[in-house]
Amino acid sequence: MAQVPQTFFDALAVRAWCGLALEALGRAREEIDAINVYPVADGDTGTNLYLTVESAAAAVEAVFEGHEAGAATVPGTDSGPTLADAVRAMAHGALIGARGNSGTILAQLLRGMAQVLAEDEAAPHADGPGLRQALRHAADSARRAVAHPVEGTVLTVAAAAAEAAAGAEGDCGAVARAAHEGARTALAATPGQLAVLRRAGVVDAGGRGLVAVLAALVQTLTGETPGGPGGGGRAVPRASAEPAPGCGAGECADPATDPERAPAAGPAFEVIYLLEADDDAVARLRRRLDGLGDSLVVVGGDGLWNVHVHVDDAGAAVEAGVEAGRPHRIRITHFGAADVHTTGAERPALPERPRRAVVAVVPGEGLAGLYAEAGATTVLARPGEPPASGELVQAARRSGAREVVLLPNDADLRHTAAAAADQARAEGLRVALIPTRSAVQGIAALAVHEPERRFDEDVVSMTSAAGATRYAEVTIAERQSWTMAGICQAGDVLGLIDGDVAVIGQEVAATATAVLDRMLAAGGEMVTLVLGDEAPETVAAHLEARVREGYLAVDTVVYRGGRQGALLLIGVE
């Protein structure tokens, strides 16, 4: 069916644009993946852009479906979502679904547009000047989101689109045409701006995807299908067909096969997570992550952010997020041997895998037995008696392993564990410290531990599992105190979520239920309950019934922790 052009940019146009952009990226996905050489030649830029727009489109559809359902219930009461409703949904969907470096930048481009287009809540649509302003703000905000902007990338293409749109006169269709043409021109010039593109004889993959998205905008607003790269025509990505500036035919070598022209080695892991945090914490996080790696992009706002970085120490990147706020949907990808972060030369044969041990601090005898059954070497932390760093080092020695993973399982033991790790390394051990803050996070890490994997891969998997687990505890207040939830009295039942008091109650089961409900409100697939010796016998059955009746497809597992200090530990992953 032919696309009906939208003279103005309204909610229906947003819906159509998302759908057409998704179709365009679906058609171009393999081509864009094939030309992906920067910042990492991992062949997934087209796929990442597609998944980002798919999430944006789904969010817009959900808004329309919600309004349609309301209108069906009470006819004549709903005229559909506003432009502000639609663009905010688009931006939020892209933010929570953003994948990879280019997908994260695209999410910020859409957010930047939404900030302008949603300023007037009552406006039914945007006109040409409004769309020009939105494109300008989008390009500027995306550039600010990148720690170290590089020319010859999607940022350059976005800036050129905004610049071309600024000079366009007329309605939204004219502005979209100018933006698309400016982006196409800039895309063709990217090999002359970035050496890795010139050597490979390709244009920037992220920029190529943005041109496709802008072509969809032209189609939405005019009914026309632009030709050339990103439109209805087929792009020629390789220098063998159309030499890049500075390259004669056949002169541009492929960096994957030419060590002399290959990019330098870089970080080993891509880390992405959503983060709930305030602006000041995110500013500190940017500085911390900028010192850990490269390709840093932090997008979002209003308390919700999408963080993307390439690092060698994935655990440190996740820990930085934990310190800034609440990270979730953590994704850690190990760049393989074929990626551009390698030098192109053959890798040396891996040495024989040494024995590996997990050393874990546990708060009770019951958990000590559970951890031991899972293969960990345990250090018991009795209430009020935290272990010293020397005890952790002794446990590492006792394990007889050359590789050790440390699980402190307590935020207060972070420095103790770090000192133990340093001492063990000085003795010739290879040590990784995973910043677990609760025994339930340690359980999640142990569940994915595979000693036959490469050390780095095992640590990344364990770190990701721990970071994806929210933790809570239910305990009894020892004295009157000020808390995040108000003033508690001695003997009150306290529910702490991620280390902060969230619920003050009088009864253990009711307080635990309130804590669990708050945690599951953010989603979850598995609930772990660890009962202390002093917990009421009925609390586990009560909570299991609550999960079974109120949260479909969520599983529950119960362990006995013994004398662990807290009445109850809760994990949600």
Side-chain angles (χ1 to χ4, degrees):
M1 181 180 296
Q3 172 66 30
V4 178
Q6 304 282 332
T7 305
F8 294 101
F9 195 70
D10 59 9
L12 287 172
V14 174
R15 186 186 203 181
W17 180 32
C18 288
L20 290 171
L22 188 62
E23 292 176 8
L25 289 170
R27 291 191 298 269
R29 176 162 51 175
E30 291 185 3
E31 173 197 320
I32 296 173
D33 283 346
I35 63 172
N36 172 200
V37 298
Y38 183 85
V40 182
D42 48 356
D44 64 357
T45 292
T47 299
N48 288 338
L49 290 170
Y50 178 87
L51 293 173
T52 302
V53 173
E54 183 179 48
S55 182
V60 173
E61 284 301 317
V63 167
F64 272 88
E65 289 170 4
H67 280 263
E68 290 164 1
T73 303
V74 185
T77 61
D78 197 328
S79 58
T82 64
L83 172 62
D85 292 333
V87 293
R88 283 181 181 142
M90 173 185 70
H92 181 73
L95 177 67
I96 64 174
R99 302 290 185 92
N101 189 69
S102 293
T104 307
I105 293 172
L106 178 60
Q108 187 66 10
L109 287 168
L110 296 179
R111 176 179 170 81
M113 290 186 69
Q115 288 175 319
V116 172
L117 297 172
E119 279 182 338
D120 185 349
E121 293 280 353
H125 58 254
D127 56 11
L131 185 57
R132 288 201 299 267
Q133 184 183 356
L135 290 168
R136 177 75 273 166
H137 184 67
D140 292 343
S141 63
R143 185 170 288 268
R144 287 193 298 269
V146 178
H148 302 285
V150 174
E151 296 306 325
T153 65
V154 63
L155 296 175
T156 306
V157 176
E163 190 67 27
E169 299 292 338
D171 61 10
C172 289
V175 172
R177 285 193 198 96
H180 174 255
E181 190 56 38
R184 280 186 60 193
T185 301
L187 177 66
T190 55
Q193 296 172 294
L194 199 55
V196 64
L197 302 179
R198 182 171 63 253
R199 288 192 294 262
V202 299
V203 296
D204 179 66
R208 167 68 179 85
L210 179 59
V211 171
V213 171
L214 291 172
L217 182 61
V218 174
Q219 188 177 358
T220 298
L221 295 170
T222 69
E224 303 168 1
T225 303
R234 181 182 180 277
V236 182
R238 289 286 173 186
S240 57
E242 184 176 330
C247 298
E251 291 180 359
C252 293
D254 187 338
T257 58
D258 185 349
E260 294 299 319
R261 296 177 176 267
F269 301 101
E270 177 184 62
V271 179
I272 305 174
Y273 48 80
L274 291 179
L275 178 70
E276 295 175 18
D278 60 36
D279 291 1
D280 290 341
V282 170
R284 293 191 295 271
L285 175 67
R286 288 179 192 269
R287 293 191 292 271
R288 172 81 182 278
L289 293 179
D290 194 28
L292 288 176
D294 61 28
S295 297
L296 173 61
V297 186
V298 181
V299 305
D302 302 320
L304 181 64
W305 308 81
N306 192 305
V307 179
H308 170 281
V309 67
H310 294 172
V311 293
D312 279 320
D313 190 344
V318 175
E319 181 182 3
V322 172
E323 292 176 351
R326 187 177 81 85
H328 51 107
R329 294 197 185 185
I330 300 169
R331 294 191 297 273
I332 300 176
T333 303
H334 180 253
F335 295 125
D339 297 338
V340 79
H341 276 336
T342 65
T343 64
E346 284 191 22
R347 291 187 172 188
L350 294 174
E352 183 180 351
R353 292 188 181 93
R355 285 187 57 207
R356 184 176 312 150
V358 175
V359 174
V361 180
V362 292
E365 296 88 348
L367 278 176
L370 174 66
Y371 271 71
E373 288 176 7
T377 300
T378 61
V379 176
L380 192 62
R382 296 176 177 83
E385 301 178 21
S389 61
E391 293 178 70
L392 301 183
V393 175
Q394 288 174 1
R397 294 182 189 130
R398 190 169 69 246
S399 72
R402 292 172 55 195
E403 295 179 339
V404 176
V405 179
L406 278 180
L407 303 177
N409 291 339
D410 187 336
D412 292 336
L413 289 178
R414 175 185 170 195
H415 296 298
T416 299
D422 288 342
Q423 185 176 342
R425 291 185 188 111
E427 296 181 9
L429 299 181
R430 187 179 187 187
V431 182
L433 170 59
I434 297 177
T436 49
R437 298 183 172 215
S438 169
V440 291
Q441 288 188 322
I443 291 171
L446 268 178
V448 299
H449 170 51
E450 292 185 16
E452 295 306 312
R453 277 192 298 218
R454 291 179 56 229
F455 184 74
D456 287 339
E457 293 174 351
D458 198 28
V459 170
V460 165
S461 180
M462 295 175 71
T463 301
S464 182
T469 302
R470 299 190 68 191
Y471 63 96
E473 67 177 77
V474 177
T475 190
I476 302 298
E478 296 179 355
R479 64 185 69 88
Q480 184 186 64
S481 180
W482 290 88
T483 76
M484 297 288 289
I487 300 175
C488 71
Q489 305 295 331
D492 282 349
V493 182
L494 304 181
L496 291 82
I497 299 178
D498 293 343
D500 293 321
V501 176
V503 180
I504 300 175
Q506 302 301 314
E507 198 270 329
V508 173
T511 303
T513 300
V515 168
L516 186 58
D517 284 342
R518 289 197 186 191
M519 297 177 76
L520 287 173
E525 299 174 353
M526 170 71 76
V527 172
T528 300
L529 304 175
V530 182
L531 300 176
D533 277 350
E534 297 179 4
E537 287 294 328
T538 59
V539 69
H542 175 79
L543 294 176
E544 285 184 288
R546 175 62 181 161
V547 173
R548 188 166 54 249
E549 295 166 7
Y551 302 94
L552 298 177
V554 177
D555 295 322
T556 305
V557 60
V558 180
Y559 301 112
R560 296 283 175 177
R563 291 177 293 172
Q564 61 184 22
L567 298 176
L568 175 68
L569 301 178
I570 304 174
V572 174
E573 54 185 301

